[in-house]
Amino acid sequence: MNNDARRGRRRHPLVRAALLVTLIIVIATVAVVGARLIGDDAERRDEAAFYAQPADAAAGDPGTLIRSAELVGVPFEARAWRVMYRTTDVQGQAVVSTGIVVAPRSAAPREGRTVLAWAHPTTGAAEDCAPSRSFDPYALIEGMRFLLDRGYVIAATDYVGMGTAGPDSYLVGDTGGNAVLDAVRAAQHLEDTRASERVVLWGHSQGGQAALFAAQRAPAYAPDLTIAGVAVAAPAADLTALLSDHINDISGVTIGSYAFTAYAQVYADRGATLDGILTPAAYAVLPEMNQLCLLSDMTQLHHIAQPVVGHFVTADPAKVQPWASILAENSAGGTGFSAPLFVAQGLKDTLVLPAATEQFVAHEKQLGVDVDFHPISDADHGTVAYLALPALMAWLDSHRL
């Protein structure tokens, strides 16, 4: 037998061992994912009852729990709960929100766990578009495995008006920010999470706007919480730029359908009426657009929206009142904050344009915010948060978060 053959035979046990380990990992992964999906399916049977609000649902302090239910289909080495909790809208009215809370099973430090408040990107505006009501309620928590492994409790809000009944809040900054902060408080009311007052905010797109508003509002609205860091990916920070950039394309019709409906409801007393900004054709498709969810109904949304592209609005909302003021008020950057800020932006993003994010970063620096900006060459709007995760983890390490 030649030397090559003998070396080949010596390698065989190692190869077999490697294949066995790989097979065990694959089987274990399939088992964990399978168990989670079976649990998710079982939980959907009681879903409608959970999201129905009791008569006194809004009576109580912001962040207090109305109800919670521990989930069966959960991520590996984690526990999770579906929550319904109290929060406050832009008008100062008590309202209700829902979401999920996920915590590691490992032992918590003596001082408690830092809470990672996750703010999700656009999924729609209807109640059943809420991430916590989806078949896999964890799917949109970008970087969840890394965050759980770091020991964070994750508090993921659905926002107000999704999940359960409430006023429409799509891109309403104060309402979104409050819902993010009160999800943290809700997590604290679950004793088994060992959630502390220390908070890191993380949001993508619409969620970037909500996270930034949470950071701005925290000192006055939630002084009991310590915002230790803020991270956003392709944030919908400048709504004036966002709507102006896209008002004559399919994205503008979709975003505008959600946003104008919310603003007409929230700011009706300021003359924000739909027939004052939308063409008759746009007004006619609005009810159907607002019942569809972005991720599951994209094809149908585009089919409905396409005929009104180019004649969706009667005027540029950035140049006529009350819309210009409303867009400005719901754009982030009204005040600075003391926590460090991580901003990721995909250079192939055609929705939140790189130039808009660069201008926002410059504005935040002028306010005295400590900004770490990460442009990512190969990322578009959908992939930027995932491709930013290595840089985000390094940034969290650098700030001891």
Side-chain angles (χ1 to χ4, degrees), residues 173-186:
D174 284 354
T175 307
N178 292 350
V180 170
L181 295 169
D182 286 322
V184 174
R185 289 163 159 167

Side-chain angles (χ1 to χ4, degrees), residues 192-247:
D192 289 342
T193 66
R194 295 290 312 279
S196 74
E197 78 289 342
R198 194 164 183 252
V199 181
V200 174
L201 303 169
W202 168 225
H204 177 196
S205 192
Q206 176 192 0
Q209 183 225 26
L212 291 166
F213 267 83
Q216 294 173 191
R217 294 184 56 72
Y221 182 78
D224 50 304
L225 301 179
T226 300
I227 307 302
V230 183
V232 294
D238 186 343
L239 299 188
T240 302
L242 181 64
L243 266 296
S244 294
D245 288 339
H246 295 288
I247 204 63

Side-chain angles (χ1 to χ4, degrees), residues 232-235 341-349 352-359 361-362 365 371-381 383-392 395:
V232 294
L341 172 62
F342 172 97
V343 180
Q345 174 63 44
L347 297 185
K348 292 184 178 179
D349 194 332
V352 174
L353 301 183
T357 299
E358 290 168 6
Q359 291 174 4
V361 166
K365 289 181 176 179
V371 186
D372 198 341
F373 180 48
H374 287 267
I376 302 175
S377 59
D378 293 325
D380 59 22
H381 193 71
T383 61
V384 60
Y386 288 106
L387 293 178
L389 288 173
L392 175 60
W395 178 82

Side-chain angles (χ1 to χ4, degrees), residues 19-89:
L19 289 173
L20 180 61
V21 170
T22 301
L23 181 61
I24 291 171
I25 292 171
V26 170
I27 291 172
T29 301
V30 170
V32 169
V33 172
R36 186 171 119 190
L37 294 178
I38 291 170
D40 291 342
D41 184 54
E43 288 154 2
R44 291 178 71 85
R45 298 169 196 165
D46 301 321
E47 184 179 276
F50 182 89
Y51 290 96
Q53 296 179 27
D56 62 346
D61 294 332
T64 55
L65 286 170
I66 299 164
R67 62 166 62 108
S68 65
E70 187 161 6
L71 301 177
V72 179
V74 296
F76 181 67
E77 285 299 300
R79 297 177 67 185
W81 297 261
R82 183 178 284 128
V83 294
M84 178 183 288
Y85 63 94
R86 300 172 178 93
T87 186
T88 312
D89 71 8

Side-chain angles (χ1 to χ4, degrees), residues 91-357:
Q91 313 292 4
Q93 298 298 309
V95 290
V96 176
S97 185
T98 54
I100 62 169
V101 175
V102 192
R105 285 190 178 274
S106 58
R110 179 177 299 179
E111 67 275 14
R113 301 184 190 279
T114 297
V115 182
L116 188 291
W118 164 248
H120 67 80
T122 298
T123 58
E127 289 180 24
D128 60 359
C129 300
S132 77
R133 297 190 73 154
S134 66
F135 184 77
D136 183 354
Y138 317 100
L140 283 183
I141 302 175
E142 293 166 316
M144 179 184 68
R145 187 70 261 163
F146 293 105
L147 302 171
L148 288 173
D149 289 346
R150 294 181 74 90
Y152 294 132
V153 173
I154 300 173
T157 182
D158 289 327
Y159 308 132
V160 175
M162 298 177 66
T164 191
D168 199 340
S169 69
Y170 184 74
L171 293 179
V172 179
D174 284 354
T175 307
N178 292 350
V180 170
L181 295 169
D182 286 322
V184 174
R185 289 163 159 167
Q188 292 175 325
H189 284 287
L190 295 166
E191 291 185 6
D192 289 342
T193 66
R194 295 290 312 279
S196 74
E197 78 289 342
R198 194 164 183 252
V199 181
V200 174
L201 303 169
W202 168 225
H204 177 196
S205 192
Q206 176 192 0
Q209 183 225 26
L212 291 166
F213 267 83
Q216 294 173 191
R217 294 184 56 72
Y221 182 78
D224 50 304
L225 301 179
T226 300
I227 307 302
V230 183
V232 294
D238 186 343
L239 299 188
T240 302
L242 181 64
L243 266 296
S244 294
D245 288 339
H246 295 288
I247 204 63
N248 289 314
D249 63 28
I250 198 76
S251 295
V253 173
T254 306
I255 294 169
S257 295
Y258 296 151
F260 289 131
T261 300
Y263 293 157
Q265 182 184 126
V266 173
Y267 301 106
D269 60 341
R270 291 169 54 178
T273 61
L274 290 173
D275 59 3
I277 190 64
L278 300 183
T279 64
Y283 187 84
V285 302
L286 217 60
E288 192 173 2
M289 292 282 290
N290 278 275
Q291 290 303 309
L292 298 174
C293 302
L294 187 66
L295 301 181
S296 59
D297 302 315
M298 178 76 78
T299 300
Q300 191 175 356
L301 275 167
H302 284 187
H303 176 75
I304 298 166
Q306 191 61 54
V308 299
V309 170
H311 49 96
F312 180 61
V313 293
T314 56
D316 184 346
K319 297 178 180 178
V320 295
Q321 296 296 350
W323 305 102
S325 295
I326 291 169
L327 293 176
E329 290 168 21
N330 288 288
S331 294
T335 59
F337 46 83
S338 59
L341 172 62
F342 172 97
V343 180
Q345 174 63 44
L347 297 185
K348 292 184 178 179
D349 194 332
T350 57
L351 182 62
V352 174
L353 301 183
T357 299

